[in-house]
Amino acid sequence: MAEVIDIIDPADPRVADFRDLNSADRRPDLPGRAGLVIAEGVVVVQRMLASRFAPFALFGVGRRYEELAADLAGVPVPYYRTTAEVMAEVVGFHLNRGVLAGARRPPELSVDEVLASARTIAVLEGVNDHENIGSIFRNAAGLGADAVLFGDRCADPLYRRAVRVSMGHVLRVPFARLPRWPDGLELLRQRGFQIIALTPNPAAPTLAAALTGDRVALLLGAEGPGLTEEAMRATDVRARIPMTPGTDSLNVATAAAMAFYERVRIS
């Protein structure tokens, strides 16, 4: 079982890795600083324990330890047990979910590793909102997308909020960064992917009509600007999700979910 260590002092250095989670310049999950991955809540911690992101410690209230006891069997990491009040002083706010786990970032996967057995992937350009990133990963896990690739100007998928919103699926759905954006899309074409750019342009064919490949890469851009023209020129086809007249676009995570569903529906 995990070793249970009681923490009564908010200044205890043993929980320093969980300190100041809301601080813009001291957050432990900043890639340029400690670069940790923080899982928040029982379900997300369980998914971290089942992933390649091996936790080095957990920090939480006693009740959450009891809920995680079976998952922690055979896991040789400390569980720093404390009160909700002490925990709030350490992390900088009241944490309703009552437990955190911290992991070091493992080496990033390569594009080849991510694509090895994938048939449906999302490719993101300029998606810089952490909640949208997290939602896309949750949708990918729920609707059968195999991986996510990051192009230019995307937010960090391992930021605490993205991990939380994804319900931990960002730790399980493989992802990688495409080099030389958007020229790196040619790597997908060489591996047999049909590359489809999602656009709200009413002149584009519907996604259902465009989906013809056995392996499919769905490109999605940030809300507002969408995909750059340069990225769309590097794809095989532009396609739209049908919308009612007068609607200019969908939230990018919603568009991703509908695209993943359409892929499952006709494949």
Side-chain angles (χ1 to χ4, degrees), residues 12-30:
D12 194 310
R14 290 174 293 184
V15 293
D17 286 325
F18 300 102
R19 197 175 305 285
D20 299 325
L21 294 187
N22 270 357
S23 173
D25 59 347
R26 295 193 303 274
R27 287 195 342 252
D29 56 346
L30 283 172

Side-chain angles (χ1 to χ4, degrees), residues 51-53 108-123 136-137 140-141 144-150 157-158 168-177:
S51 77
R52 68 189 186 97
F53 294 82
E108 291 193 357
L109 298 175
S110 69
V111 173
D112 283 338
E113 288 175 309
V114 164
L115 297 183
S117 59
R119 292 186 61 249
T120 304
I121 64 171
V123 185
I136 288 169
F137 272 89
D146 303 302
V148 177
L149 292 182
F150 290 98
L158 297 178
H169 289 298
V170 72
L171 307 176
R172 304 181 70 186
V173 175
F175 64 87
R177 301 177 194 280

Side-chain angles (χ1 to χ4, degrees), residues 63-183:
R63 184 162 63 93
R64 298 306 186 212
Y65 173 77
E66 294 168 6
E67 293 174 25
L68 286 164
D71 302 281
L72 292 172
V75 179
V77 298
Y79 186 101
Y80 295 118
R81 183 172 57 189
T82 192
T83 65
E85 293 74 22
V86 170
M87 193 172 191
E89 287 195 54
V90 173
V91 305
F93 57 94
H94 180 71
L95 191 78
N96 290 327
R97 293 167 183 83
V99 65
L100 299 166
R104 315 277 176 205
R105 295 189 184 216
E108 291 193 357
L109 298 175
S110 69
V111 173
D112 283 338
E113 288 175 309
V114 164
L115 297 183
S117 59
R119 292 186 61 249
T120 304
I121 64 171
V123 185
L124 309 182
E125 180 191 42
V127 181
N128 55 14
D129 181 274
H130 292 102
E131 294 195 6
N132 281 335
I133 293 281
S135 294
I136 288 169
F137 272 89
R138 187 175 183 181
N139 294 336
L143 294 167
D146 303 302
V148 177
L149 292 182
F150 290 98
D152 194 26
R153 299 172 289 106
C154 289
D156 177 18
L158 297 178
Y159 173 51
R160 179 177 60 88
R161 185 178 299 163
V163 176
R164 185 189 71 224
V165 172
S166 79
M167 290 302 295
H169 289 298
V170 72
L171 307 176
R172 304 181 70 186
V173 175
F175 64 87
R177 301 177 194 280
L178 265 179
R180 305 184 313 280
W181 183 260
D183 295 343

Side-chain angles (χ1 to χ4, degrees), residues 25 27 39 59 64 116 118-119 165 191 206 215 223 232 243 261:
D25 59 347
R27 287 195 342 252
F59 179 43
R64 298 306 186 212
R119 292 186 61 249
V165 172
R191 288 157 178 76
T206 65
R215 307 183 87 186
E223 292 176 51
M232 288 196 284
M243 295 183 292
Y261 174 78

